[in-house]
Amino acid sequence: MITHGRTTVADTDFDVLILGAGSGGYACALRAAQLGLKVALVEKGDLGGTCLHVGCIPTKALLHAAEIADSARDSEQFGVRATLEGIDMAGVNSYKDGVVSRLFKGLTGLVKGRGVTVVAGEGRLTGPREVTVDGTAYTGRHVVLATGSYARSLPGLEVDGERVITSEHALRLERVPSSVVVLGGGVIGCEFASVWRSFGAEVTIVEALPRLVAAEDEASSKVLERTFKKRGIKARTGTPFQSVETTDDGVAVTLEGGDVVEAELLLVAVGRGPVTDGLGYDEQGVEMERGFVRTDERCRTNLEGVYAVGDIVPGLQLAHRGFQQGIFVAEEIAGLEPTPIDETGIPRVTYSHPEVASVGLDEATARATYGDDQVETLTYDLGGNGKSQILRTQGFVKLVRRTDGPVVGVHMVGDRVGELIGEAQLIYGWEAHAEDVAPLVHAHPTQNEALGEAHLALAGKALHAHS
């Protein structure tokens, strides 16, 4: 079925033919249509993909509900007498689903309003410039592969959707589990651990790597682990998973070394894999690597006129990365010659309590890149920030810079610091020196001031204590 855009139902030839309508695919479609190109978007599910329906948006809605629960539970420290009677998961899910529904409705209207043709069904690449859906072949002068990702498991670990679940199952739970083992201490694992702890569950994170959120600066990991411990979240880092058995009450998870952790549920959060298998990519000669599609800095595959964006391209699996790549490809096809995306400049946020946010290089990578004597760091404690004291949150802003040069990394931990990453991205992206940022006026009292104070200190003008 094709919805009516500016094309007729019989029309099967397009300027831009996009396979997948997640963040990367729909952004590419909207921008290409805006630039006057004739666009078709092939999608077997709902417009918006993982991010809108089973990823970023519903997860962050749960995290906001968790923040409300914590506010009620801890209200007396603010002089407010309130009690937390419990978590109504039906109500939480209704709120979450309402957010998703409104955004989905808005996106559907946008796509229709731009005259993008939507082809509903599972598409397969059947030629260099051809995608076949339910027996009908569609062609494009340019083809964009944007088929997204799925929740990975481990060899021998069977996800049953009942006791052993993925993030997609977790979003549909109709109860708060009494206890959970979270397998994986990355972004997804830490976010769900944070939600369930706020909702009252006993939580144990099992992570094979030496620390939680191992892709972040080591200092950020340490603060997150310390705060999680205070919240009662147990973290078994440097501990590989061995096996799981179902029990009368839930699961018994055996760790390497023989320890057994029992819980009601096991959440498998060991990362996401690319959705490329069986879609014809290999057969058409698309260059692949461990299931991912290889591209150059301009999102081009090895096939002329075929691009790839989002989670199927090696690198950060983030909705905003795919979104920006989609816009980039549309502009590239339209001949606008956009500037390639700096992958290191893509902001990263873990929306747990506390949040972890960063952009640019961490300290270890900067030292490996430029040399120990060519890197300086400064850490500003949020204890000196008025708004953070008001919010009762702890953490820091850590700056990494080349000696007497630009800031090459910004790392933050604390509630709501994800909202600060925009300015941090500008500082990194514009290769600002501390002396460039220090004169900027930051409103008081805001957490944004912490960025200003950190740069004042790095510029040798510290007004408040820092470490």
Side-chain angles (χ1 to χ4, degrees), residues 205-238:
I205 302 173
V206 175
E207 172 55 64
L209 294 172
R211 53 193 175 89
L212 300 182
V213 288
E216 295 291 344
D217 191 272
E218 189 172 351
S220 298
S221 295
K222 284 179 179 174
V223 172
L224 182 67
E225 287 169 10
R226 191 161 64 239
T227 310
F228 270 16
K229 186 176 181 180
K230 283 182 186 173
R231 293 184 60 199
I233 298 172
K234 301 184 184 81
R236 300 288 299 270
T237 53

PDB file of all heavy atoms in Angstrom, residues 205-238:
ATOM      1  N   ILE A 205      23.363  -4.937  38.797  1.00  0.00           N
ATOM      2  CA  ILE A 205      23.905  -4.837  37.442  1.00  0.00           C
ATOM      3  C   ILE A 205      25.112  -5.758  37.327  1.00  0.00           C
ATOM      4  O   ILE A 205      25.987  -5.743  38.198  1.00  0.00           O
ATOM      5  CB  ILE A 205      24.343  -3.386  37.114  1.00  0.00           C
ATOM      6  CG1 ILE A 205      23.179  -2.409  37.270  1.00  0.00           C
ATOM      7  CG2 ILE A 205      24.912  -3.318  35.695  1.00  0.00           C
ATOM      8  CD1 ILE A 205      23.585  -0.947  37.133  1.00  0.00           C
ATOM      9  N   VAL A 206      25.158  -6.553  36.274  1.00  0.00           N
ATOM     10  CA  VAL A 206      26.292  -7.434  36.010  1.00  0.00           C
ATOM     11  C   VAL A 206      26.966  -6.953  34.731  1.00  0.00           C
ATOM     12  O   VAL A 206      26.333  -6.903  33.678  1.00  0.00           O
ATOM     13  CB  VAL A 206      25.841  -8.908  35.859  1.00  0.00           C
ATOM     14  CG1 VAL A 206      27.010  -9.793  35.455  1.00  0.00           C
ATOM     15  CG2 VAL A 206      25.205  -9.405  37.154  1.00  0.00           C
ATOM     16  N   GLU A 207      28.235  -6.586  34.824  1.00  0.00           N
ATOM     17  CA  GLU A 207      28.960  -6.026  33.693  1.00  0.00           C
ATOM     18  C   GLU A 207      30.339  -6.687  33.582  1.00  0.00           C
ATOM     19  O   GLU A 207      31.100  -6.687  34.542  1.00  0.00           O
ATOM     20  CB  GLU A 207      29.104  -4.505  33.858  1.00  0.00           C
ATOM     21  CG  GLU A 207      30.007  -3.819  32.847  1.00  0.00           C
ATOM     22  CD  GLU A 207      29.624  -4.086  31.404  1.00  0.00           C
ATOM     23  OE1 GLU A 207      28.522  -3.673  30.994  1.00  0.00           O
ATOM     24  OE2 GLU A 207      30.429  -4.724  30.697  1.00  0.00           O
ATOM     25  N   ALA A 208      30.643  -7.224  32.404  1.00  0.00           N
ATOM     26  CA  ALA A 208      31.925  -7.902  32.193  1.00  0.00           C
ATOM     27  C   ALA A 208      33.095  -6.925  32.173  1.00  0.00           C
ATOM     28  O   ALA A 208      34.207  -7.268  32.586  1.00  0.00           O
ATOM     29  CB  ALA A 208      31.892  -8.706  30.896  1.00  0.00           C
ATOM     30  N   LEU A 209      32.859  -5.707  31.703  1.00  0.00           N
ATOM     31  CA  LEU A 209      33.920  -4.699  31.649  1.00  0.00           C
ATOM     32  C   LEU A 209      34.214  -4.170  33.059  1.00  0.00           C
ATOM     33  O   LEU A 209      33.403  -4.341  33.971  1.00  0.00           O
ATOM     34  CB  LEU A 209      33.524  -3.567  30.706  1.00  0.00           C
ATOM     35  CG  LEU A 209      33.407  -3.968  29.223  1.00  0.00           C
ATOM     36  CD1 LEU A 209      32.830  -2.827  28.405  1.00  0.00           C
ATOM     37  CD2 LEU A 209      34.763  -4.395  28.668  1.00  0.00           C
ATOM     38  N   PRO A 210      35.361  -3.508  33.237  1.00  0.00           N
ATOM     39  CA  PRO A 210      35.758  -3.097  34.585  1.00  0.00           C
ATOM     40  C   PRO A 210      34.879  -2.031  35.230  1.00  0.00           C
ATOM     41  O   PRO A 210      34.950  -1.816  36.430  1.00  0.00           O
ATOM     42  CB  PRO A 210      37.183  -2.551  34.384  1.00  0.00           C
ATOM     43  CG  PRO A 210      37.644  -3.073  33.075  1.00  0.00           C
ATOM     44  CD  PRO A 210      36.418  -3.248  32.244  1.00  0.00           C
ATOM     45  N   ARG A 211      34.054  -1.321  34.437  1.00  0.00           N
ATOM     46  CA  ARG A 211      33.255  -0.247  35.018  1.00  0.00           C
ATOM     47  C   ARG A 211      31.950  -0.045  34.263  1.00  0.00           C
ATOM     48  O   ARG A 211      31.809  -0.490  33.122  1.00  0.00           O
ATOM     49  CB  ARG A 211      34.048   1.057  35.079  1.00  0.00           C
ATOM     50  CG  ARG A 211      34.663   1.499  33.770  1.00  0.00           C
ATOM     51  CD  ARG A 211      35.674   2.617  33.976  1.00  0.00           C
ATOM     52  NE  ARG A 211      36.377   3.007  32.768  1.00  0.00           N
ATOM     53  CZ  ARG A 211      35.983   3.932  31.918  1.00  0.00           C
ATOM     54  NH1 ARG A 211      34.854   4.587  32.128  1.00  0.00           N
ATOM     55  NH2 ARG A 211      36.705   4.230  30.848  1.00  0.00           N
ATOM     56  N   LEU A 212      31.001   0.630  34.919  1.00  0.00           N
ATOM     57  CA  LEU A 212      29.748   0.989  34.265  1.00  0.00           C
ATOM     58  C   LEU A 212      30.011   2.071  33.226  1.00  0.00           C
ATOM     59  O   LEU A 212      31.012   2.784  33.298  1.00  0.00           O
ATOM     60  CB  LEU A 212      28.733   1.502  35.292  1.00  0.00           C
ATOM     61  CG  LEU A 212      28.326   0.540  36.411  1.00  0.00           C
ATOM     62  CD1 LEU A 212      27.268   1.195  37.313  1.00  0.00           C
ATOM     63  CD2 LEU A 212      27.805  -0.785  35.864  1.00  0.00           C
ATOM     64  N   VAL A 213      29.094   2.215  32.282  1.00  0.00           N
ATOM     65  CA  VAL A 213      29.215   3.162  31.156  1.00  0.00           C
ATOM     66  C   VAL A 213      30.675   3.307  30.726  1.00  0.00           C
ATOM     67  O   VAL A 213      31.267   4.384  30.761  1.00  0.00           O
ATOM     68  CB  VAL A 213      28.568   4.542  31.453  1.00  0.00           C
ATOM     69  CG1 VAL A 213      27.054   4.411  31.462  1.00  0.00           C
ATOM     70  CG2 VAL A 213      29.042   5.171  32.751  1.00  0.00           C
ATOM     71  N   ALA A 214      31.246   2.167  30.315  1.00  0.00           N
ATOM     72  CA  ALA A 214      32.688   2.091  30.043  1.00  0.00           C
ATOM     73  C   ALA A 214      33.127   2.977  28.881  1.00  0.00           C
ATOM     74  O   ALA A 214      34.322   3.262  28.741  1.00  0.00           O
ATOM     75  CB  ALA A 214      33.084   0.643  29.777  1.00  0.00           C
ATOM     76  N   ALA A 215      32.183   3.424  28.047  1.00  0.00           N
ATOM     77  CA  ALA A 215      32.536   4.307  26.937  1.00  0.00           C
ATOM     78  C   ALA A 215      32.746   5.745  27.404  1.00  0.00           C
ATOM     79  O   ALA A 215      33.239   6.580  26.645  1.00  0.00           O
ATOM     80  CB  ALA A 215      31.449   4.266  25.863  1.00  0.00           C
ATOM     81  N   GLU A 216      32.380   6.029  28.653  1.00  0.00           N
ATOM     82  CA  GLU A 216      32.522   7.388  29.186  1.00  0.00           C
ATOM     83  C   GLU A 216      33.880   7.560  29.870  1.00  0.00           C
ATOM     84  O   GLU A 216      34.613   6.593  30.092  1.00  0.00           O
ATOM     85  CB  GLU A 216      31.392   7.683  30.189  1.00  0.00           C
ATOM     86  CG  GLU A 216      30.007   7.706  29.577  1.00  0.00           C
ATOM     87  CD  GLU A 216      29.776   8.900  28.651  1.00  0.00           C
ATOM     88  OE1 GLU A 216      30.568   9.867  28.700  1.00  0.00           O
ATOM     89  OE2 GLU A 216      28.805   8.866  27.878  1.00  0.00           O
ATOM     90  N   ASP A 217      34.205   8.799  30.236  1.00  0.00           N
ATOM     91  CA  ASP A 217      35.427   9.068  30.983  1.00  0.00           C
ATOM     92  C   ASP A 217      35.399   8.282  32.294  1.00  0.00           C
ATOM     93  O   ASP A 217      34.348   8.133  32.925  1.00  0.00           O
ATOM     94  CB  ASP A 217      35.527  10.574  31.267  1.00  0.00           C
ATOM     95  CG  ASP A 217      36.884  10.982  31.802  1.00  0.00           C
ATOM     96  OD1 ASP A 217      37.073  10.927  33.033  1.00  0.00           O
ATOM     97  OD2 ASP A 217      37.754  11.339  30.991  1.00  0.00           O
ATOM     98  N   GLU A 218      36.568   7.789  32.707  1.00  0.00           N
ATOM     99  CA  GLU A 218      36.624   6.944  33.911  1.00  0.00           C
ATOM    100  C   GLU A 218      36.091   7.669  35.143  1.00  0.00           C
ATOM    101  O   GLU A 218      35.447   7.061  36.000  1.00  0.00           O
ATOM    102  CB  GLU A 218      38.070   6.497  34.148  1.00  0.00           C
ATOM    103  CG  GLU A 218      38.190   5.440  35.231  1.00  0.00           C
ATOM    104  CD  GLU A 218      39.582   4.847  35.339  1.00  0.00           C
ATOM    105  OE1 GLU A 218      40.426   5.117  34.462  1.00  0.00           O
ATOM    106  OE2 GLU A 218      39.820   4.103  36.310  1.00  0.00           O
ATOM    107  N   ALA A 219      36.334   8.966  35.226  1.00  0.00           N
ATOM    108  CA  ALA A 219      35.843   9.739  36.375  1.00  0.00           C
ATOM    109  C   ALA A 219      34.313   9.738  36.431  1.00  0.00           C
ATOM    110  O   ALA A 219      33.712   9.677  37.508  1.00  0.00           O
ATOM    111  CB  ALA A 219      36.370  11.170  36.313  1.00  0.00           C
ATOM    112  N   SER A 220      33.663   9.791  35.264  1.00  0.00           N
ATOM    113  CA  SER A 220      32.197   9.754  35.214  1.00  0.00           C
ATOM    114  C   SER A 220      31.684   8.418  35.721  1.00  0.00           C
ATOM    115  O   SER A 220      30.712   8.355  36.490  1.00  0.00           O
ATOM    116  CB  SER A 220      31.710   9.996  33.779  1.00  0.00           C
ATOM    117  OG  SER A 220      32.098  11.271  33.316  1.00  0.00           O
ATOM    118  N   SER A 221      32.340   7.328  35.293  1.00  0.00           N
ATOM    119  CA  SER A 221      31.948   5.995  35.743  1.00  0.00           C
ATOM    120  C   SER A 221      32.030   5.881  37.261  1.00  0.00           C
ATOM    121  O   SER A 221      31.134   5.335  37.909  1.00  0.00           O
ATOM    122  CB  SER A 221      32.848   4.926  35.112  1.00  0.00           C
ATOM    123  OG  SER A 221      32.676   4.867  33.719  1.00  0.00           O
ATOM    124  N   LYS A 222      33.093   6.416  37.835  1.00  0.00           N
ATOM    125  CA  LYS A 222      33.289   6.310  39.286  1.00  0.00           C
ATOM    126  C   LYS A 222      32.186   7.020  40.058  1.00  0.00           C
ATOM    127  O   LYS A 222      31.660   6.499  41.050  1.00  0.00           O
ATOM    128  CB  LYS A 222      34.658   6.881  39.680  1.00  0.00           C
ATOM    129  CG  LYS A 222      35.820   5.960  39.336  1.00  0.00           C
ATOM    130  CD  LYS A 222      37.158   6.592  39.733  1.00  0.00           C
ATOM    131  CE  LYS A 222      38.313   5.637  39.409  1.00  0.00           C
ATOM    132  NZ  LYS A 222      39.634   6.287  39.664  1.00  0.00           N
ATOM    133  N   VAL A 223      31.814   8.223  39.611  1.00  0.00           N
ATOM    134  CA  VAL A 223      30.756   8.964  40.306  1.00  0.00           C
ATOM    135  C   VAL A 223      29.414   8.254  40.160  1.00  0.00           C
ATOM    136  O   VAL A 223      28.647   8.142  41.120  1.00  0.00           O
ATOM    137  CB  VAL A 223      30.659  10.415  39.779  1.00  0.00           C
ATOM    138  CG1 VAL A 223      29.436  11.119  40.353  1.00  0.00           C
ATOM    139  CG2 VAL A 223      31.924  11.183  40.138  1.00  0.00           C
ATOM    140  N   LEU A 224      29.124   7.741  38.954  1.00  0.00           N
ATOM    141  CA  LEU A 224      27.869   7.014  38.756  1.00  0.00           C
ATOM    142  C   LEU A 224      27.817   5.778  39.643  1.00  0.00           C
ATOM    143  O   LEU A 224      26.803   5.521  40.301  1.00  0.00           O
ATOM    144  CB  LEU A 224      27.724   6.608  37.283  1.00  0.00           C
ATOM    145  CG  LEU A 224      26.414   5.887  36.949  1.00  0.00           C
ATOM    146  CD1 LEU A 224      25.222   6.830  37.105  1.00  0.00           C
ATOM    147  CD2 LEU A 224      26.448   5.319  35.530  1.00  0.00           C
ATOM    148  N   GLU A 225      28.900   5.015  39.683  1.00  0.00           N
ATOM    149  CA  GLU A 225      28.934   3.810  40.510  1.00  0.00           C
ATOM    150  C   GLU A 225      28.748   4.152  41.992  1.00  0.00           C
ATOM    151  O   GLU A 225      28.020   3.462  42.714  1.00  0.00           O
ATOM    152  CB  GLU A 225      30.251   3.058  40.293  1.00  0.00           C
ATOM    153  CG  GLU A 225      30.317   2.361  38.940  1.00  0.00           C
ATOM    154  CD  GLU A 225      31.718   1.848  38.605  1.00  0.00           C
ATOM    155  OE1 GLU A 225      32.605   1.857  39.495  1.00  0.00           O
ATOM    156  OE2 GLU A 225      31.923   1.437  37.449  1.00  0.00           O
ATOM    157  N   ARG A 226      29.398   5.229  42.441  1.00  0.00           N
ATOM    158  CA  ARG A 226      29.287   5.625  43.848  1.00  0.00           C
ATOM    159  C   ARG A 226      27.854   6.042  44.177  1.00  0.00           C
ATOM    160  O   ARG A 226      27.307   5.665  45.213  1.00  0.00           O
ATOM    161  CB  ARG A 226      30.261   6.775  44.114  1.00  0.00           C
ATOM    162  CG  ARG A 226      30.445   7.122  45.576  1.00  0.00           C
ATOM    163  CD  ARG A 226      31.723   7.907  45.817  1.00  0.00           C
ATOM    164  NE  ARG A 226      31.723   9.203  45.155  1.00  0.00           N
ATOM    165  CZ  ARG A 226      32.633   9.570  44.253  1.00  0.00           C
ATOM    166  NH1 ARG A 226      33.601   8.750  43.895  1.00  0.00           N
ATOM    167  NH2 ARG A 226      32.565  10.770  43.698  1.00  0.00           N
ATOM    168  N   THR A 227      27.230   6.803  43.281  1.00  0.00           N
ATOM    169  CA  THR A 227      25.847   7.247  43.529  1.00  0.00           C
ATOM    170  C   THR A 227      24.876   6.079  43.462  1.00  0.00           C
ATOM    171  O   THR A 227      23.940   5.986  44.268  1.00  0.00           O
ATOM    172  CB  THR A 227      25.448   8.343  42.520  1.00  0.00           C
ATOM    173  OG1 THR A 227      26.454   9.343  42.495  1.00  0.00           O
ATOM    174  CG2 THR A 227      24.126   8.976  42.904  1.00  0.00           C
ATOM    175  N   PHE A 228      25.072   5.185  42.498  1.00  0.00           N
ATOM    176  CA  PHE A 228      24.220   3.989  42.415  1.00  0.00           C
ATOM    177  C   PHE A 228      24.318   3.172  43.702  1.00  0.00           C
ATOM    178  O   PHE A 228      23.315   2.643  44.202  1.00  0.00           O
ATOM    179  CB  PHE A 228      24.621   3.134  41.210  1.00  0.00           C
ATOM    180  CG  PHE A 228      23.887   3.477  39.932  1.00  0.00           C
ATOM    181  CD1 PHE A 228      23.195   4.662  39.787  1.00  0.00           C
ATOM    182  CD2 PHE A 228      23.880   2.584  38.860  1.00  0.00           C
ATOM    183  CE1 PHE A 228      22.511   4.981  38.607  1.00  0.00           C
ATOM    184  CE2 PHE A 228      23.194   2.871  37.686  1.00  0.00           C
ATOM    185  CZ  PHE A 228      22.514   4.071  37.566  1.00  0.00           C
ATOM    186  N   LYS A 229      25.521   3.056  44.228  1.00  0.00           N
ATOM    187  CA  LYS A 229      25.706   2.292  45.472  1.00  0.00           C
ATOM    188  C   LYS A 229      24.912   2.937  46.614  1.00  0.00           C
ATOM    189  O   LYS A 229      24.251   2.244  47.399  1.00  0.00           O
ATOM    190  CB  LYS A 229      27.198   2.230  45.819  1.00  0.00           C
ATOM    191  CG  LYS A 229      27.510   1.333  47.009  1.00  0.00           C
ATOM    192  CD  LYS A 229      29.012   1.228  47.243  1.00  0.00           C
ATOM    193  CE  LYS A 229      29.310   0.302  48.417  1.00  0.00           C
ATOM    194  NZ  LYS A 229      30.776   0.188  48.667  1.00  0.00           N
ATOM    195  N   LYS A 230      24.959   4.280  46.700  1.00  0.00           N
ATOM    196  CA  LYS A 230      24.184   4.993  47.729  1.00  0.00           C
ATOM    197  C   LYS A 230      22.693   4.749  47.556  1.00  0.00           C
ATOM    198  O   LYS A 230      21.933   4.710  48.538  1.00  0.00           O
ATOM    199  CB  LYS A 230      24.463   6.501  47.647  1.00  0.00           C
ATOM    200  CG  LYS A 230      25.789   6.928  48.235  1.00  0.00           C
ATOM    201  CD  LYS A 230      25.929   8.443  48.131  1.00  0.00           C
ATOM    202  CE  LYS A 230      27.306   8.905  48.574  1.00  0.00           C
ATOM    203  NZ  LYS A 230      27.504  10.350  48.320  1.00  0.00           N
ATOM    204  N   ARG A 231      22.258   4.609  46.308  1.00  0.00           N
ATOM    205  CA  ARG A 231      20.839   4.366  46.037  1.00  0.00           C
ATOM    206  C   ARG A 231      20.437   2.912  46.282  1.00  0.00           C
ATOM    207  O   ARG A 231      19.250   2.582  46.205  1.00  0.00           O
ATOM    208  CB  ARG A 231      20.514   4.727  44.578  1.00  0.00           C
ATOM    209  CG  ARG A 231      20.621   6.208  44.256  1.00  0.00           C
ATOM    210  CD  ARG A 231      20.197   6.479  42.824  1.00  0.00           C
ATOM    211  NE  ARG A 231      18.813   6.054  42.611  1.00  0.00           N
ATOM    212  CZ  ARG A 231      18.274   5.820  41.421  1.00  0.00           C
ATOM    213  NH1 ARG A 231      18.998   5.968  40.321  1.00  0.00           N
ATOM    214  NH2 ARG A 231      17.016   5.443  41.315  1.00  0.00           N
ATOM    215  N   GLY A 232      21.422   2.060  46.544  1.00  0.00           N
ATOM    216  CA  GLY A 232      21.120   0.647  46.787  1.00  0.00           C
ATOM    217  C   GLY A 232      21.166  -0.215  45.547  1.00  0.00           C
ATOM    218  O   GLY A 232      20.704  -1.363  45.557  1.00  0.00           O
ATOM    219  N   ILE A 233      21.706   0.315  44.454  1.00  0.00           N
ATOM    220  CA  ILE A 233      21.887  -0.477  43.232  1.00  0.00           C
ATOM    221  C   ILE A 233      23.236  -1.176  43.319  1.00  0.00           C
ATOM    222  O   ILE A 233      24.276  -0.531  43.442  1.00  0.00           O
ATOM    223  CB  ILE A 233      21.835   0.408  41.972  1.00  0.00           C
ATOM    224  CG1 ILE A 233      20.471   1.081  41.841  1.00  0.00           C
ATOM    225  CG2 ILE A 233      22.153  -0.406  40.716  1.00  0.00           C
ATOM    226  CD1 ILE A 233      20.388   2.120  40.727  1.00  0.00           C
ATOM    227  N   LYS A 234      23.207  -2.510  43.282  1.00  0.00           N
ATOM    228  CA  LYS A 234      24.455  -3.269  43.338  1.00  0.00           C
ATOM    229  C   LYS A 234      25.048  -3.369  41.938  1.00  0.00           C
ATOM    230  O   LYS A 234      24.323  -3.571  40.973  1.00  0.00           O
ATOM    231  CB  LYS A 234      24.209  -4.681  43.888  1.00  0.00           C
ATOM    232  CG  LYS A 234      23.597  -4.725  45.279  1.00  0.00           C
ATOM    233  CD  LYS A 234      23.479  -6.166  45.764  1.00  0.00           C
ATOM    234  CE  LYS A 234      22.789  -6.237  47.117  1.00  0.00           C
ATOM    235  NZ  LYS A 234      21.334  -6.160  46.999  1.00  0.00           N
ATOM    236  N   ALA A 235      26.356  -3.225  41.840  1.00  0.00           N
ATOM    237  CA  ALA A 235      27.027  -3.336  40.544  1.00  0.00           C
ATOM    238  C   ALA A 235      28.162  -4.347  40.645  1.00  0.00           C
ATOM    239  O   ALA A 235      29.079  -4.177  41.444  1.00  0.00           O
ATOM    240  CB  ALA A 235      27.557  -1.979  40.101  1.00  0.00           C
ATOM    241  N   ARG A 236      28.061  -5.416  39.854  1.00  0.00           N
ATOM    242  CA  ARG A 236      29.126  -6.422  39.791  1.00  0.00           C
ATOM    243  C   ARG A 236      29.898  -6.184  38.498  1.00  0.00           C
ATOM    244  O   ARG A 236      29.559  -6.731  37.446  1.00  0.00           O
ATOM    245  CB  ARG A 236      28.523  -7.839  39.820  1.00  0.00           C
ATOM    246  CG  ARG A 236      27.694  -8.160  41.068  1.00  0.00           C
ATOM    247  CD  ARG A 236      28.573  -8.340  42.283  1.00  0.00           C
ATOM    248  NE  ARG A 236      29.516  -9.432  42.119  1.00  0.00           N
ATOM    249  CZ  ARG A 236      29.266 -10.705  42.463  1.00  0.00           C
ATOM    250  NH1 ARG A 236      28.091 -11.041  42.990  1.00  0.00           N
ATOM    251  NH2 ARG A 236      30.179 -11.640  42.290  1.00  0.00           N
ATOM    252  N   THR A 237      30.920  -5.310  38.571  1.00  0.00           N
ATOM    253  CA  THR A 237      31.711  -5.010  37.374  1.00  0.00           C
ATOM    254  C   THR A 237      32.885  -5.981  37.271  1.00  0.00           C
ATOM    255  O   THR A 237      33.266  -6.626  38.248  1.00  0.00           O
ATOM    256  CB  THR A 237      32.229  -3.563  37.424  1.00  0.00           C
ATOM    257  OG1 THR A 237      32.907  -3.358  38.663  1.00  0.00           O
ATOM    258  CG2 THR A 237      31.080  -2.574  37.300  1.00  0.00           C
ATOM    259  N   GLY A 238      33.434  -6.086  36.068  1.00  0.00           N
ATOM    260  CA  GLY A 238      34.524  -7.030  35.843  1.00  0.00           C
ATOM    261  C   GLY A 238      34.097  -8.464  36.075  1.00  0.00           C
ATOM    262  O   GLY A 238      34.908  -9.329  36.420  1.00  0.00           O
TER     263      GLY A 238
END
